[in-house]
Amino acid sequence: MKIEQKEKGCQWSKKCGGCSYQGMPYEKQCRIKQRTVEELLKGICKVKPIMAMEEPYYYRNKAHAVFDRDRKGKIIAGIYQEGTHKVVPVEGCVIEDETCSAVIATVKRLLPSFKIKVYDEDTGYGLLRHVLVRKSFANNQLMVVLVTASPVFPSKNHFVKALREVHPDITTVVQNVNGRQTSAVLGQKENILYGKGYIEDVLCGFTFRISSRAFYQVNPVQTEKLYNKAMELAEFKGGEMVLDAYCGVGTIGLIASRYCRQVVGVELNPEAVKDALFNRSRNKAENVRIFQGDASEVMLDLAADGQRFDVVFMDPPRSGSTEEFITAVADSGVKRVIYISCNPQTLARDLQIFGKMGYRPNEAWPVDMFPWTDAVETVVALDRKKT
Ligand code: SAH
């Protein structure tokens, strides 16, 4: 089944639009990504060969499905067709973990016998909107998030029990309530229906708690390669003060804490901050502090307080960083910056700003975190030019 599907490629890709490189040999995908980064960073720095994935299938530790009914009234689970609110049924995605996909299929199969209605966006009638499944590859734990339109969920305990009977690896089930007419999948309110409400994964020897709403890298195999490269580029000697900006659940900062004196992590999302604080205790990383707030604002405050950093890791979202952040980094005399980017366009823009502030980028290292899609991750080390 697995081989067959891999060879056939994805039959839903045209409508789904999630993987724009479906049908293209993997080597060619990597060549295009290499060229994209090289073109965007032309005149800025050299680009090393992309770190490709050995087995570029079923790599995502997360699956998401929106639930709806087709014209005949049959329940379907899939994704929104690009740019629309039309649901395209997808069964057996070739990039998502197969167990995660199987859980979604089981939810779909069980719904009628529990008389759980799927939500209708037009009429506002029905309960189940989305299902999100996250998996820890290291611990083989599964988290299921059932997104419902209202907090009232009849027969929830029986439903969860039936789901766990089919998938004993499910360690937690969370109900997330999203009653709003919005394109955001998750709402603010959550009830834990089973287990602890989070799963734990292991990366580079550290254990990370991941809750439903926190950002966590989706490709753990390539993430370890990326983080190892980032640590190598930092060239730690042991006494450094380190900033981990845009730290998420604290992954990069915690791993770095093993090699340096102290780490400060900064993250905007309060749920991710909670996870980061928990992860600090869980890993007994006493030399790590975490602040909640906007990276630029916190950086300015820290600089004003006289806090100095030797190394700054920054891993901003697709929109990149800001001139304020980069200026504050430069003004406080940071010697080395390790920039991890999921968008080479904003990376190129920010590297130009760093250039004006007296930083010189060394080589860029592209990493293929998202095979079959056009997304590419890049890590670059910058050094402050000697004056
Ligand atoms: N370094 C982490 C997370 C990177 S994703 C990891 O490797 O897993 C980017 C993170 O930046 C997200 O957790 C997001 O919530 C956070 N973020 C977005 N805008 C921010 C801002 N203005 N200030 C601080 N953090 C921000």
Side-chain angles (χ1 to χ4, degrees):
M1 166 76 182
K2 190 168 171 177
I3 299 295
E4 203 182 292
Q5 202 164 60
K6 277 201 295 196
E7 281 172 356
K8 273 199 295 207
C10 173
Q11 50 180 304
W12 294 279
S13 72
K14 286 226 162 57
K15 282 189 175 163
C16 160
C19 292
S20 48
Y21 289 177
Q22 275 296 341
M24 192 190 284
Y26 184 56
E27 293 70 31
K28 188 170 176 197
Q29 300 173 32
C30 289
R31 276 203 306 277
I32 296 179
K33 292 184 191 192
Q34 180 77 26
R35 217 179 309 132
T36 306
V37 179
E38 281 171 2
E39 271 163 25
L40 285 163
L41 300 188
K42 198 182 274 168
I44 301 177
C45 65
K46 282 221 173 74
V47 180
K48 289 285 187 184
I50 189 164
M51 289 183 233
M53 202 173 180
E54 271 149 46
E55 178 64 22
Y57 300 97
Y58 308 106
Y59 60 82
R60 282 178 67 97
N61 55 10
K62 181 168 138 177
H64 161 243
V66 49
F67 279 70
D68 200 0
R69 284 180 181 276
D70 65 12
R71 257 181 277 149
K72 293 186 191 128
K74 207 171 112 232
I75 297 174
I76 52 172
I79 81 151
Y80 289 121
Q81 188 169 348
E82 224 180 351
T84 73
H85 265 220
K86 192 170 172 293
V87 178
V88 182
V90 175
E91 281 161 30
C93 168
V94 291
I95 68 167
E96 283 172 1
D97 173 77
E98 287 174 292
T99 326
C100 294
S101 304
V103 171
I104 288 172
T106 306
V107 170
K108 191 178 106 179
R109 182 169 60 77
L110 291 177
L111 290 177
S113 52
F114 287 85
K115 301 199 167 43
I116 300 170
K117 299 267 185 301
V118 299
Y119 180 73
D120 183 324
E121 280 191 8
D122 299 324
T123 61
Y125 178 73
L127 184 67
L128 186 74
R129 299 185 73 165
H130 306 266
V131 174
L132 193 79
V133 186
R134 274 184 151 177
K135 178 174 173 177
S136 153
F137 282 16
N139 295 340
N140 212 23
Q141 299 173 339
L142 288 167
M143 168 166 59
V144 182
V145 184
L146 304 167
V147 185
T148 60
S150 96
V152 186
F153 188 165
S155 67
K156 57 180 181 246
N157 294 339
H158 292 300
F159 182 68
V160 167
K161 189 160 172 267
L163 198 56
R164 285 180 45 235
E165 265 161 24
V166 186
H167 301 282
D169 292 340
I170 294 176
T171 48
T172 192
V173 181
V174 175
Q175 177 192 7
N176 177 288
V177 184
N178 187 358
R180 290 176 305 164
Q181 288 289 358
T182 159
S183 55
V185 173
L186 297 174
Q188 297 297 321
K189 209 171 154 284
E190 291 200 339
N191 305 315
I192 297 173
L193 303 182
Y194 174 74
K196 293 180 173 165
Y198 59 83
I199 50 170
E200 288 190 325
D201 197 21
V202 181
L203 276 180
C204 303
F206 283 78
T207 301
F208 297 102
R209 158 175 134 169
I210 307 139
S211 58
S212 64
R213 280 177 288 172
F215 173 89
Y216 189 67
Q217 289 286 1
V218 295
N219 183 338
V221 171
Q222 293 297 89
T223 299
E224 282 203 332
K225 291 188 194 166
L226 174 76
Y227 289 169
N228 286 336
K229 180 52 73 184
M231 295 304 137
E232 184 190 311
L233 294 174
E235 294 181 359
F236 286 123
K237 306 238 164 16
E240 293 85 354
M241 295 295 292
V242 173
L243 178 74
D244 177 12
Y246 312 90
C247 73
V249 300
T251 38
I252 295 171
L254 281 164
I255 296 165
S257 74
R258 193 194 276 158
Y259 310 108
C260 67
R261 183 147 62 98
Q262 250 190 29
V263 177
V264 172
V266 182
E267 166 62 42
L268 190 61
N269 175 351
E271 298 304 317
V273 170
K274 265 193 224 157
D275 286 348
L277 290 168
F278 182 93
N279 290 335
R280 180 189 61 174
S281 315
R282 175 76 173 74
N283 294 283
K284 301 191 175 59
E286 273 133 31
N287 57 342
V288 176
R289 282 181 296 157
I290 307 283
F291 293 114
Q292 195 258 321
D294 169 68
S296 310
E297 283 172 20
V298 175
M299 183 66 209
L300 282 169
D301 290 349
L302 289 169
D305 281 354
Q307 171 82 62
R308 294 284 173 266
F309 295 105
D310 303 294
V311 177
V312 167
F313 287 96
M314 52 190 290
D315 185 8
R318 291 188 63 78
S319 51
S321 190
T322 64
E323 195 144 355
E324 290 76 30
F325 180 85
I326 297 170
T327 310
V329 166
D331 287 351
S332 59
V334 174
K335 293 186 208 78
R336 175 161 292 187
V337 176
I338 314 292
Y339 193 138
I340 297 172
S341 158
C342 56
N343 180 353
Q345 286 183 332
T346 52
L347 173 69
R349 179 200 71 196
D350 290 348
L351 290 182
Q352 306 265 19
I353 305 176
F354 267 116
K356 284 190 214 131
M357 302 283 171
Y359 286 81
R360 183 182 298 123
N362 301 322
E363 305 96 358
W365 297 80
V367 183
D368 191 20
M369 303 277 274
F370 315 103
W372 310 99
T373 78
D374 58 8
V376 55
E377 193 90 7
T378 312
V379 53
V380 187
L382 298 109
D383 282 323
R384 193 181 177 82
K385 286 184 215 158
K386 301 222 165 51
T387 44

